[in-house]
Amino acid sequence: LTSIVTQATRQFLASMSYDDLTKSAGLAVVVILLVLLLQKEFARLHPGPRMTAWIHAFDLALVPLLVTFAIIVTARLAELLQ
Amino acid sequence: MAFWYALPMPSIERMPYLRAVWGTLPNRRRTVPPARLIGALGAAWHSDQRARSWPYGLLVLALGLWALGLTEIDVYRMNDFGLISVLPAPVLGALVLLTGGAILLLRADRPDVLAMLVYIVTLVVMLYGIPVFVEQVARSSVNWVHEGFIEYIRRTGAVAPSLEARFNWPGFFILAAFVADAAGINQPVAFANLAPVYFNLLYLLPLAMIFRAFTQDMRLVWAGLWLFALGNWVGQDYFSPQALAYFLDLVIVGVVLTWFRVAQPRSERVASWLRTRGLAGRAVGRLYGLATPDDERPRPLGAVQQMGLIAASVVTFAFIAYSHQLTPFFLTAGLLGLVALNRASPRGLPIVFGIMTVAWVSYMTVPFLVGHVAPLLAEVGRLGDTVGSNLVKRIQGSADHQAVVTIRLVFTVGVWAVAALGALVRLRDGRRDLSLIVLAVAPVPLLGLQAYGGELILRLYLFTLPMAAFFVAGLLYGRPSGAPSRPRRLLAGVAVSVVIVVFFVTRYGNERADLMTSAEVQAVDRLYAIAPSGSLLVAASNNLPWKFKDFEKYTYLPEADNSLVGQIDQITTLMADPKYPASYLILTRSQGNYAEVFLGLAPGAWTRFVAAVRASPTFIDVYHNADADIFVPSRRSALSAAP
């Protein structure tokens, strides 16, 4: 599985501490997550087949973002515990 | 005048003057001389004026009694029962009179809105405004600490999260600094004693929204508001972030319950699936049916307006998460409960709120979390310790204070018990206010996460109080049988009168320690004038009006709730630390009161302690007034010459 991660990505990840990573990428994840969740909530206010399709599309994006968010928070807490 | 008789009766029924005139007419089918009709109208007008004016007459009488009672209060004579020990009978009498008037007003199916509004505003002023009139300066040392945070922001234009944990949630302090600057207020703490009045008045608005979402009976709404004001003894409505956050919490709950409740939360698909799963499935299905009763339809609102309300709720929540550490968890838990049982339609809202809370804590409170994460995580799941620190450890101090704490606990449990009874009675009446029950129960698991310095049960009580007040009021009003009978109203009046007395014990039971005096403030002002930057400032406890300016320039001891009462040797050792350019010891009246109330110090022991410090060759008294002394170590007495 690690072979599909490019060398550049691995170097990028290795060059930064958890703190730096979670501050840069993590904040972007939080913002995108909140925007998508609100978009989904707004979409639910307009019932119809088109909006249902949008809601499914939002769900597809939200699940990995939520998992990423959980990992980020855990990493930050783990770093603080150390 | 024939048209007169054509008026339909219902219209006349709604107009007291016309109804009275209607009654005076001998024969409703006969023409009446105009002069007689005008006379009857005039008499009816006066009679109606009397009917309408009696509540205000009673109100003026109650206010007069209250004001008269206030002049007799001598707060310096309080014992460890607090304000009730010096509260004259006219103050209590005024409140009983006001309550009696309210009960009489609530006889009508549609109570006079203006009169009830004036009554409840008066109640809040009478209950929460007493310190404004009888105390010289802002009560409670915490108000002065908050003034210090605001002063820091106004002076430096920044916050200092690494200096003070509460600066990791600075929203309220920044807002207060902004308002103080905009309004040209020198010291916002000067208005701190008014905070409970205006916060409790603010709470009434969203509370009315919440109650209206569950009943059309305005008597129940008014009674619920009345009981909320009488039950709010926990004192979290002072000049503080949690007071404002609580108001915003109620606003969001009010918005969700008014416009986003689900009228038919039961899913027929789930119900029919459960029916096909045998005996166990049918049992679960029955539970599912009980847990998903129908609700009133929400007020109709367009999609754009709903989007606006959701956006406004998110912005409001952002301010809560930015201002207070605990409120976001209570609000998120409540909404999560509503969404989980499909009683509120914005299903994503609790997730958005949860992410905002966690994001703020993990990103913006790092200075607080460093060194605190492990202890915080260690408290998770230790329910026994939480209950112990919230209950057992609070019952300490003088015998009177222990009695006050016991009364608080009994009252709290009593309110919950009567509220549960009220919920059951409404259930029996066919009203399943499940959303309110969910909101009351959902935050309970938070007890398993944190002890919150022994205050979590108090906060839990505060967050459940709106629902409790509604259910308790529901025992009397909003019943299918209509208005309560006279004996029931009389019984309610007696019960509420008892609660009024209990309120003053529970709410103001710490008042002897919370009382700060202008002489103490003058002494602390003097301390800041003579202490060079970097000095060590020592007190016997933190219960005094200090830290209200330049708080980052000094080191304060003791830390948190620790006490140095009677420990002259330890104080001497602490003050001899050479790393400080100067050391000062300040002893004030409020520290002595605190030691007697909360630490159980024997009466007279504080006076002896102060006398011993004065007599000690180790200290030199550099400032003295009626309520405070400032000392320096004798070998540093030269510092006392500083202006």
Side-chain angles (χ1 to χ4, degrees):
Chain A
L1 186 68
T2 52
S3 63
I4 50 176
V5 180
T6 63
Q7 181 62 26
T9 309
R10 268 180 278 172
Q11 276 188 347
F12 168 73
L13 291 172
S15 66
M16 301 172 83
S17 69
Y18 278 125
D19 192 46
D20 292 334
L21 260 179
T22 54
K23 267 183 190 162
S24 51
L27 274 177
V29 168
V30 172
V31 172
I32 296 169
L33 191 55
L34 289 175
V35 169
L36 285 181
L37 277 166
L38 276 177
Q39 288 284 345
K40 186 187 165 189
E41 209 53 52
F42 291 157
R44 288 183 62 240
L45 297 173
H46 300 273
R50 198 169 158 198
M51 281 303 165
T52 311
W54 270 109
I55 289 169
H56 286 310
F58 284 135
D59 283 342
L60 282 176
L62 282 170
V63 173
L65 279 172
L66 277 169
V67 173
T68 312
F69 177 72
I71 293 169
I72 287 166
V73 170
T74 311
R76 288 188 66 82
L77 283 179
E79 185 150 300
L80 283 170
L81 275 170
Q82 287 167 8
Chain B
M1 302 303 291
F3 76 93
W4 187 250
Y5 301 113
L7 282 173
M9 276 306 286
S11 302
I12 291 173
E13 283 303 318
R14 282 198 211 105
M15 300 178 201
Y17 326 121
L18 303 187
R19 192 174 61 224
V21 174
W22 187 261
T24 62
L25 299 181
N27 182 344
R28 294 173 192 181
R29 294 292 167 200
R30 193 183 301 160
T31 306
V32 182
R36 189 172 169 189
L37 184 68
I38 290 166
L41 267 172
W45 169 262
H46 286 297
S47 147
D48 188 64
Q49 283 295 93
R50 275 200 301 277
R52 280 169 180 263
S53 60
W54 72 259
Y56 300 102
L58 201 64
L59 184 83
V60 170
L61 187 63
L63 272 171
L65 265 178
W66 184 73
L68 184 75
L70 289 191
T71 61
E72 294 174 23
I73 295 178
D74 180 1
V75 285
Y76 299 103
R77 289 178 49 246
M78 271 188 281
N79 64 23
D80 292 357
F81 271 101
L83 194 61
I84 190 80
S85 60
V86 292
L87 205 64
V91 172
L92 293 172
L95 281 155
V96 171
L97 205 61
L98 195 74
T99 301
I103 290 174
L104 288 176
L105 277 169
L106 292 181
R107 281 179 310 177
D109 290 343
R110 293 180 182 180
D112 185 336
V113 174
L114 182 64
M116 275 311 297
L117 198 63
V118 174
Y119 263 60
I120 200 143
V121 169
T122 308
L123 175 78
V124 169
V125 172
M126 283 182 171
L127 290 175
Y128 299 98
I130 292 177
V132 178
F133 298 98
V134 301
E135 298 186 13
Q136 299 169 339
V137 292
R139 61 192 286 280
S140 177
S141 56
V142 189
N143 280 321
W144 294 91
V145 176
H146 289 180
E147 166 67 29
F149 297 162
I150 294 164
E151 187 270 343
Y152 180 87
I153 293 168
R154 295 175 80 182
R155 179 163 43 84
T156 66
V159 292
S162 52
L163 281 176
E164 166 59 48
R166 281 165 281 189
F167 261 149
N168 288 276
W169 291 269
F172 170 81
F173 302 117
I174 292 172
L175 179 69
F178 168 74
V179 171
D181 276 342
I185 297 168
N186 185 30
Q187 273 199 321
V189 76
F191 299 94
N193 281 350
L194 272 172
V197 177
Y198 60 72
F199 276 126
N200 277 284
L201 289 177
L202 276 178
Y203 298 158
L204 298 179
L205 303 170
L207 280 172
M209 265 175 82
I210 294 170
F211 296 163
R212 283 291 302 276
F214 292 91
T215 183
Q216 300 297 317
D217 189 339
M218 281 308 291
R219 292 174 301 190
L220 177 52
V221 174
W222 289 117
L225 296 178
W226 199 270
L227 291 177
F228 176 87
L230 276 174
N232 186 10
W233 67 264
V234 289
Q236 293 302 318
D237 43 22
Y238 62 99
F239 183 56
S240 63
Q242 58 265 39
L244 182 60
Y246 185 66
F247 166 67
L248 299 176
D249 167 288
L250 292 176
V251 169
I252 293 178
V253 171
V255 165
V256 169
L257 292 178
T258 306
W259 286 289
F260 294 101
R261 59 175 182 260
V262 177
Q264 289 179 313
R266 188 182 315 184
S267 161
E268 278 311 315
R269 213 168 66 178
V270 174
S272 59
W273 182 80
L274 286 170
R275 275 196 294 272
T276 61
R277 299 288 134 179
L279 200 63
R282 281 200 293 278
V284 175
R286 185 167 291 180
L287 278 177
Y288 179 68
L290 282 173
T292 53
D294 288 354
D295 214 336
E296 296 284 327
R297 288 204 168 277
R299 293 193 188 178
L301 210 60
V304 175
Q305 288 166 308
Q306 287 189 1
M307 281 166 65
L309 279 176
I310 288 178
S313 298
V314 170
V315 172
T316 307
F317 185 85
F319 185 79
I320 296 176
Y322 170 53
S323 299
H324 191 234
Q325 54 272 54
L326 195 61
T327 310
F329 291 95
F330 275 94
L331 180 53
T332 307
L335 289 185
L336 200 61
L338 290 179
V339 166
L341 290 174
N342 196 26
R343 307 207 68 81
S345 57
R347 277 178 270 179
L349 215 51
I351 303 172
V352 171
F353 287 179
I355 289 169
M356 288 167 81
T357 306
V358 173
W360 181 268
V361 170
S362 58
Y363 279 96
M364 303 307 289
T365 68
V366 171
F368 166 74
L369 289 176
V370 172
H372 286 95
V373 175
L376 285 173
L377 291 177
E379 285 187 24
V380 175
R382 295 168 70 173
L383 188 62
D385 288 354
T386 301
V387 173
S389 62
N390 277 262
L391 295 178
V392 182
K393 286 182 186 169
R394 298 191 82 83
I395 305 178
Q396 58 181 8
S398 67
D400 288 353
H401 182 65
Q402 288 183 33
V404 169
V405 177
T406 307
I407 292 169
R408 284 175 180 157
L409 291 175
V410 170
F411 180 70
T412 300
V413 174
V415 168
W416 280 337
V418 179
L421 183 69
L424 285 174
V425 167
R426 280 184 65 83
L427 191 70
R428 198 188 62 182
D429 290 345
R431 297 192 169 93
R432 297 185 187 174
D433 310 307
L434 197 78
S435 298
L436 284 179
I437 296 171
V438 168
L439 280 171
V441 174
V444 172
L446 292 176
L447 285 175
L449 295 179
Q450 276 292 302
Y452 202 65
E455 285 194 10
L456 202 71
I457 288 185
L458 299 186
R459 305 302 172 98
L460 187 64
Y461 172 76
L462 180 64
F463 280 89
T464 57
L465 185 59
M467 286 64 83
F470 180 84
F471 286 131
V472 174
L475 284 169
L476 207 63
Y477 298 105
R479 306 290 307 277
S481 51
S485 61
R486 185 175 289 187
R488 274 177 175 241
R489 287 203 306 267
L490 195 66
L491 191 67
V494 172
V496 173
S497 301
V498 173
V499 171
I500 287 169
V501 177
V502 173
F503 173 86
F504 281 100
V505 177
T506 52
R507 168 88 188 186
Y508 296 107
N510 299 349
E511 202 58 20
R512 187 168 167 243
D514 285 339
L515 175 71
M516 306 284 144
T517 68
S518 53
E520 288 178 283
V521 176
Q522 281 167 16
V524 177
D525 263 330
R526 178 68 184 155
L527 179 65
Y528 287 130
I530 62 176
S533 183
S535 296
L536 173 68
L537 308 183
V538 182
S541 73
N542 270 303
N543 195 62
L544 72 159
W546 68 352
K547 302 182 183 177
F548 58 80
K549 67 177 181 185
D550 299 335
F551 88 92
E552 83 284 8
K553 295 180 182 172
Y554 302 100
T555 301
Y556 293 89
L557 286 177
E559 288 177 349
D561 293 337
N562 296 333
S563 164
L564 293 168
V565 178
Q567 299 173 34
I568 295 180
D569 290 344
Q570 196 183 342
I571 292 171
T572 308
T573 309
L574 288 170
M575 292 177 73
D577 192 332
K579 75 177 178 185
Y580 302 106
S583 301
Y584 297 84
L585 170 66
I586 180 165
L587 300 176
T588 65
R589 167 201 279 262
S590 56
Q591 293 173 62
N593 289 350
Y594 173 86
E596 288 182 12
V597 174
F598 288 102
L599 308 177
L601 195 71
W606 175 259
T607 313
R608 288 196 294 277
F609 168 60
V610 175
V613 175
R614 281 185 190 142
S616 167
T618 321
F619 298 101
I620 295 173
D621 198 339
V622 294
Y623 177 84
H624 171 80
N625 70 24
D627 291 337
D629 287 89
I630 301 174
F631 302 92
V632 294
S634 56
R635 66 175 185 281
R636 291 178 175 180
S637 55
L639 287 168
S640 66

